[in-house]
Amino acid sequence: LRDNRIELVRASWHELSISVSDVSLSDEGQYTCSLFTMPVKTSKAFLTVLGVPEKPQITGFTSPVMEGERMQLTCKTSGSKPAADIRWFKNDKEVKEVKYLKEEDANRKTFTVSSTLDFLADRSDDGAVVSCRVDHESLNSTPQIAMQVLEIHYTPLVKITSSNSWPEEGQTIVLTCESKGKPVPEPVLWTKDGGELPDPERMVVNGRILSISFLNKTDNGTYRCEAKNPIGRNSTEYVLIVHDVFNTLLPTTVIPSLTTATITTNVALTASTTTSATATSIRDPNALAGQTGPDHALIGGIVAVVVFVTLCSIILLGRYLARHKGTYLTNEAKGAEDAPDADTAIINAEGSQVNAEEKKEYFI
């Protein structure tokens, strides 16, 4: 061996050692050690030299990229022996759908390896980190990595949120237009039913917020929020329906009032009247279906029937007593039907009363 890079390290009758510095691919081959005895003895060993791959580079990226455009990123490395392995990652998640290409270098000992990542640009890729990793046995488990941060421009994404899911008359509602895009969208534009807001005094726009106070039925309609940037524009709509003020009425029941029948001493019955009232019940709109309370109308009707039957019984009793009214004779008047007058009747009455004058009775 005649090379300045080769040095004799140890020489004895038992051992001969050499060192090779600045190893190159040309150092690869079979090495022979000879012991000049009779006969000569030899020992051989084959030296394999690995080609370390160069640091990879990513090409094909132009910034910014519009949403929907096709992107082709290529990662390339040369000088590897054997051929290196290339893997793609997007935000630490490996991408499998890639194209792999291996070419032999001019020295016919090393390889140039390339891999292409092909995809459509999406707004979700904005800010994503795409990395190309080269693995090779010469790197001692420390791969070489090239990275590229994606910048995707896209039209605004618009969304309307409401502060009140059930707006009623007299209330205030706040509509917020949330827009996201790159570049950042310009201030949004609010319209109603395709035209300008009809009442600027009650409909106040502050940036992306539309506030409508003292709601009424004329505010019903379709409100549109539109946002735009240099890439394009987008819009969304919100249908506003103002509801009537909701009042809850408690159920009410009117109890029937009755007049009392009065009987005079001559058993004459005065006119009796019964005022019947209909129990009115207003159902609570919030009451769940299937829930029923006491039927006040039925109870009132039963009470009215009972009172009516009682009054009819009293009237019949009064008529019966009136028919038995008359004049009843005392013992003193027995046998005196033929007397011309009351005094003679008393004198001639049975019993022969002595003091007839003191026992006079008159029936009126």
Side-chain angles (χ1 to χ4, degrees):
L1 296 177
R2 302 180 186 281
D3 195 310
N4 293 332
R5 297 180 296 111
I6 301 176
E7 296 180 0
L8 183 63
V9 178
R10 184 181 178 86
S12 69
W13 292 104
H14 306 287
E15 181 181 347
L16 184 63
S17 300
I18 62 174
S19 67
V20 182
S21 61
D22 193 15
V23 177
S24 64
L25 292 175
S26 59
D27 295 327
E28 182 176 278
Q30 183 173 281
Y31 288 77
T32 304
C33 172
S34 299
L35 177 62
F36 292 96
T37 61
M38 292 300 292
V40 178
K41 298 180 179 180
T42 61
S43 179
K44 298 180 180 180
F46 192 87
L47 176 64
T48 300
V49 179
L50 299 178
V52 180
E54 299 176 354
K55 185 176 181 179
Q57 293 182 347
I58 297 178
T59 58
F61 178 75
T62 56
S63 182
V65 179
M66 303 303 170
E67 182 180 26
E69 289 185 357
R70 181 169 294 279
M71 296 184 63
Q72 289 186 343
L73 303 181
T74 301
C75 179
K76 186 176 182 179
T77 180
S78 301
S80 61
K81 179 181 174 294
D85 183 29
I86 297 180
R87 301 167 65 188
W88 285 96
F89 294 85
K90 183 188 293 185
N91 288 337
D92 298 329
K93 183 178 180 180
E94 186 173 2
V95 181
K96 298 289 187 179
E97 296 78 13
V98 296
K99 295 179 181 180
Y100 183 82
L101 179 63
K102 180 178 69 172
E103 296 177 344
E104 194 176 55
D105 293 337
N107 57 17
R108 305 186 66 84
K109 293 183 178 181
T110 59
F111 296 89
T112 295
V113 181
S114 63
S115 179
T116 302
L117 177 63
D118 190 345
F119 63 97
L120 292 177
D122 186 78
R123 64 183 62 199
S124 61
D125 295 328
D126 183 50
V129 178
V130 175
S131 58
C132 164
R133 191 173 80 177
V134 176
D135 294 308
H136 193 263
E137 53 188 300
S138 66
L139 299 177
N140 298 324
S141 301
T142 304
Q144 294 180 341
I145 300 176
M147 294 187 299
Q148 179 66 59
V149 179
L150 302 182
E151 182 181 2
I152 312 298
H153 284 190
Y154 53 93
T155 57
L157 180 65
V158 186
K159 177 183 177 182
I160 295 179
T161 59
S162 172
S163 63
N164 192 343
S165 59
W166 188 267
E168 297 180 356
E169 289 184 306
Q171 294 182 347
T172 298
I173 189 173
V174 177
L175 303 179
T176 303
C177 181
E178 300 176 357
S179 60
K180 181 181 178 181
K182 193 168 186 178
V184 178
E186 300 175 1
V188 300
L189 175 64
W190 284 97
T191 58
K192 179 191 177 186
D193 297 331
E196 297 181 354
L197 299 177
D199 193 347
E201 294 184 357
R202 293 188 303 109
M203 302 178 178
V204 180
V205 177
N206 185 10
R208 304 180 185 277
I209 298 177
L210 170 61
S211 178
I212 307 176
S213 57
F214 302 106
L215 290 172
N216 56 65
K217 291 300 182 64
T218 62
D219 298 327
N220 290 343
T222 302
Y223 293 80
R224 177 188 294 269
C225 169
E226 181 180 289
K228 65 178 180 178
N229 62 5
I231 308 303
R233 63 179 61 196
N234 202 353
S235 63
T236 187
E237 296 179 347
Y238 177 85
V239 179
L240 175 61
I241 299 177
V242 180
H243 302 273
D244 295 330
V245 178
F246 183 71
N247 293 327
T248 302
L249 300 178
L250 296 177
T252 57
T253 302
V254 179
I255 300 177
S257 59
L258 303 175
T259 59
T260 304
T262 304
I263 302 176
T264 60
T265 55
N266 58 357
V267 204
L269 182 63
T270 61
S272 61
T273 60
T274 302
T275 303
S276 62
T278 302
T280 303
S281 175
I282 299 178
R283 184 176 298 274
D284 186 354
N286 290 331
L288 297 177
Q291 294 182 349
T292 58
D295 195 339
H296 298 287
L298 179 59
I299 295 175
I302 294 174
V303 172
V305 171
V306 172
V307 173
F308 177 77
V309 172
T310 303
L311 291 178
C312 290
S313 300
I314 294 175
I315 293 174
L316 293 176
L317 180 60
R319 291 175 60 85
Y320 175 79
L321 294 178
R323 289 185 177 184
H324 288 75
K325 182 175 66 173
T327 302
Y328 299 88
L329 300 177
T330 62
N331 290 329
E332 290 82 358
K334 290 181 179 180
E337 290 86 352
D338 298 332
D341 52 31
D343 293 339
T344 306
I346 293 174
I347 296 173
N348 296 334
E350 294 180 0
S352 302
Q353 290 91 350
V354 179
N355 298 323
E357 290 293 328
E358 297 178 359
K359 294 183 181 180
K360 294 180 179 179
E361 289 186 1
Y362 300 92
F363 185 82
I364 301 176

